[in-house]
Amino acid sequence: MVGDSISFPIHTLHVNPMECAFTHGDKTIDKHNLPVTSMDMTQQLVALLDNRAHALGVQGKFEAAVKVAQQIIVHMPTLSTGYIRIANLYRMQGMQRHAIDAYAAGLHSVSPDDPRYLHLGDGMAGAKQQAEKRIDFVGLLPVEIVEDIVTLLPTEYRLRSLQVSKTWRKKVLECARAWRECNDYDVTDASMIAQVAPHVKHLTIGTGNEQTWSDYLISIMEGHFTKIRSFHLTVKFLPSKENIDSTMVALSRMDSTLTKLELNLGGTQNTPITLSHVLLAFPRLKSLIYTTTSRLVESIGNTSLLDENHELVDMELDSKYIAGKDILPLLQKCRHMRRLLLNGCNTTVLHAVDMSCPALEILGYNTRGNHVPELTQPTRQRTTFGLREFYTKNGSDPEFAAIILPLIRKNMATLKTVYMNISAWGLHELSSMYADLRLDSVDKLTFWGDDSGIIQPLILRSISSCTTLSHLSVSASHDIPGLVDALTALPRLESLELSHIWSSVGCTYLVRLFDAYAEDTRNIRPFRTISLGYCYVVTDAVLAALSKIRSLENITLSNLRNVSTRGIDAFMNELSNTGTANISLIEMDSIMDDQLIALGKMERLRSINLDELKNVTDYGITEVVNEAQVLRKLTLTRCNSVTLRAIAHAKQKIKAVVVNE
């Protein structure tokens, strides 16, 4: 009899044939999962445990297999079977050193008379031989696979791999994608800089370490950066004036390939490298971003040294103060300019731009805090000239209408995008002065209302005949009825954004607009996107009308204080019948767990963004990710009642979970 833990004689156990371990491993494991504590273990039971350990190993249950094999050694420490089984399990995992230790323990404990004693010695020799073999996967794998691997490595490990061997260095340096981007925070050693430089296309230097900067400068001077396309340099120390010329000579070695330069001089007390220095060093430069805390008159340099018609087509200039007379000489040398962003401008700058930039397509005037798109179309021969896009600043402190509107009127036939935050202060006759303003070709329009009540009617009149307007954004409107009347007379929009509307007058007008959009079932330009933020005019009735528009795909609701929880309930339930794919809820106190869970019923919902929803808890997050069928992304920002437990659950359910503080 085996010990008290087994209630039947050992002779009643029947071991199935050995092949059952391979074909019915699960059954073998389940059937014979018995505790073994007796020292009087028979050979039959040893075979059973060995069979079970092997079956677990084949199924990949390595730790469980080792524990079963260890039972054999515990009960029969002088038998070779347990040591051989453990060693074989380790060798299956490629753990040769552990296998050698298991064989050694067997040779120490097992009698030479054991029938399998020689297997211990042979196995140990085989494990030692295997352990000494080193497979150089980098040398054997195709370049394409090595490149995929190396590209995913952190820069620190990529640099270490260069020091392994000549073969590794050659193969790793052949991974062009891995070295396209380089910065001086990661690559600091002078020898490494020289090795990776020929593969770099985008270089960033910004540590402020003078020795590192010197090492990079030497590598640039020696012509190592042969493929460089863009260079971002932040100057945090002030070079001596005698070194500036030599620095620019060194940088000019990149001129044949460099197309974009970003130079940030904000960390210096005055401007060591002027705009003229830059354009002289890079006569073929296409794009320049230049930031300085100095006045432009101090940082522009001697423009008379520049060649006529510099090839620059895109410039962003951020300065403490820009006057028209200061920037005019520079613009006159850059008559191919197609995109121009100027921050720090006084009221004379737009006149200088108008005089000097015949090819200009995109203009940003004091646009800090506002995104201005990049040039997307290549340089081409144009048959018509004039601005396509115009942008002012975002938010408070509008520009004077008397400064902006003359340029808008001059380019009104070509403008496609207008982002205009202007004030009619002191100009009550503005409406009559610009009675001829017509934005008949505009596609995207953003404007702010003003206290005078002059700007909105002027702009709405300018688009009264427009058939191309698809995206409209209005902030601080004081006349929602007037806005809705204008919109109902136009073709249906594709996108509408209303924000910072503090008056509650006009609710019924918005209901009328959305009812009209819902009833218009034609496929001509469906209404896809709505954003409502900080609007007292938005009520339950407005959301009810909005929810009936079946074409809606993107919805953003922010801080709507006149919307109730009941109104949100009805809105969410109705949205389940729409094609909504993306929804963003920000500072909505009326959103609780139940309202969030209702989102899970939307059959096409792919993205949810939640920002400062203080009444949403783990329960709401867990349930919505469980219910939503095609949800791919969840973004959480300052949702303080949501814990790491719910976030971990969400990560198991959907592809992307982003958490912002």
Side-chain angles (χ1 to χ4, degrees), residues 583-617:
I583 189 162
S584 182
L585 303 170
I586 304 169
E587 297 181 36
M588 293 288 292
D589 292 347
S590 54
I591 302 288
M592 301 185 185
D593 286 338
D594 289 342
Q595 289 70 47
L596 185 64
I597 294 170
L599 294 179
K601 299 177 182 178
M602 299 183 192
E603 295 181 354
R604 300 181 183 178
L605 188 63
R606 299 180 64 84
S607 172
I608 300 175
N609 175 47
L610 307 177
D611 191 341
E612 290 196 54
L613 299 189
K614 63 182 182 182
N615 295 320
V616 169
T617 70

Side-chain angles (χ1 to χ4, degrees), residues 231-467:
F231 181 29
H232 182 180
L233 173 62
T234 299
V235 178
K236 295 183 178 179
F237 54 89
L238 187 63
S240 60
K241 291 184 178 180
E242 57 269 20
N243 288 337
I244 292 177
D245 288 340
S246 59
T247 298
M248 297 313 299
V249 169
L251 294 180
S252 68
R253 293 294 304 272
M254 301 187 293
D255 175 57
S256 61
T257 59
L258 191 72
T259 59
K260 182 175 182 178
L261 173 63
E262 183 171 351
L263 185 59
N264 188 336
L265 303 172
T268 59
Q269 294 180 348
N270 53 45
T271 303
I273 302 175
T274 67
L275 280 162
S276 296
H277 276 124
V278 172
L279 297 182
L280 278 170
F282 301 102
R284 287 181 286 273
L285 192 68
K286 299 296 183 184
S287 178
L288 172 63
I289 301 175
Y290 185 94
T291 303
T292 177
T293 54
S294 302
R295 297 163 62 94
L296 181 62
V297 68
E298 300 165 350
S299 55
I300 196 166
N302 187 357
T303 58
S304 65
L305 300 176
L306 300 177
D307 294 335
E308 299 293 332
N309 293 324
H310 192 282
E311 294 185 17
L312 194 67
V313 297
D314 185 355
M315 181 169 70
E316 298 182 25
L317 176 56
D318 196 323
S319 178
K320 182 178 181 180
Y321 182 81
I322 303 174
K325 63 181 179 62
D326 298 327
I327 198 170
L328 182 62
L330 177 66
L331 296 179
Q332 288 175 336
K333 299 287 187 175
C334 304
R335 300 184 68 83
H336 298 294
M337 193 77 68
R338 296 174 55 212
R339 179 179 179 269
L340 181 62
L341 272 61
L342 302 172
N343 288 305
C345 302
N346 74 0
T347 58
T348 64
V349 167
L350 288 183
H351 180 64
V353 171
D354 187 35
M355 291 173 56
S356 312
C357 301
L360 197 62
E361 300 175 42
I362 300 174
L363 175 60
Y365 177 79
N366 291 335
T367 54
R368 288 193 188 109
N370 190 8
H371 171 70
V372 178
E374 302 285 341
L375 280 172
T376 56
Q377 299 176 348
T379 303
R380 66 197 188 285
Q381 288 295 115
R382 299 176 64 192
T383 56
T384 59
F385 291 87
L387 283 177
R388 289 190 296 108
E389 302 178 26
F390 177 77
Y391 300 84
T392 64
K393 67 182 68 172
N394 189 2
S396 59
D397 193 20
E399 302 292 345
F400 290 115
I403 303 300
I404 304 298
L405 288 179
L407 187 70
I408 298 296
R409 178 163 58 185
K410 181 176 180 179
N411 294 275
M412 63 184 183
T414 56
L415 278 168
K416 304 295 182 184
T417 299
V418 177
Y419 194 106
M420 189 160 47
N421 182 9
I422 59 176
S423 169
W425 184 82
L427 287 175
H428 296 289
E429 68 278 10
L430 197 67
S431 181
S432 59
M433 291 172 60
Y434 291 92
D436 60 339
L437 183 64
R438 292 290 181 269
L439 297 174
D440 291 338
S441 301
V442 71
D443 172 53
K444 299 177 182 178
L445 174 62
T446 299
F447 71 88
W448 274 252
D450 69 329
D451 295 335
S452 69
I454 295 174
I455 297 300
Q456 178 172 303
L458 174 65
I459 294 176
L460 293 179
R461 185 179 63 195
S462 73
I463 61 172
S464 59
S465 301
C466 180
T467 60

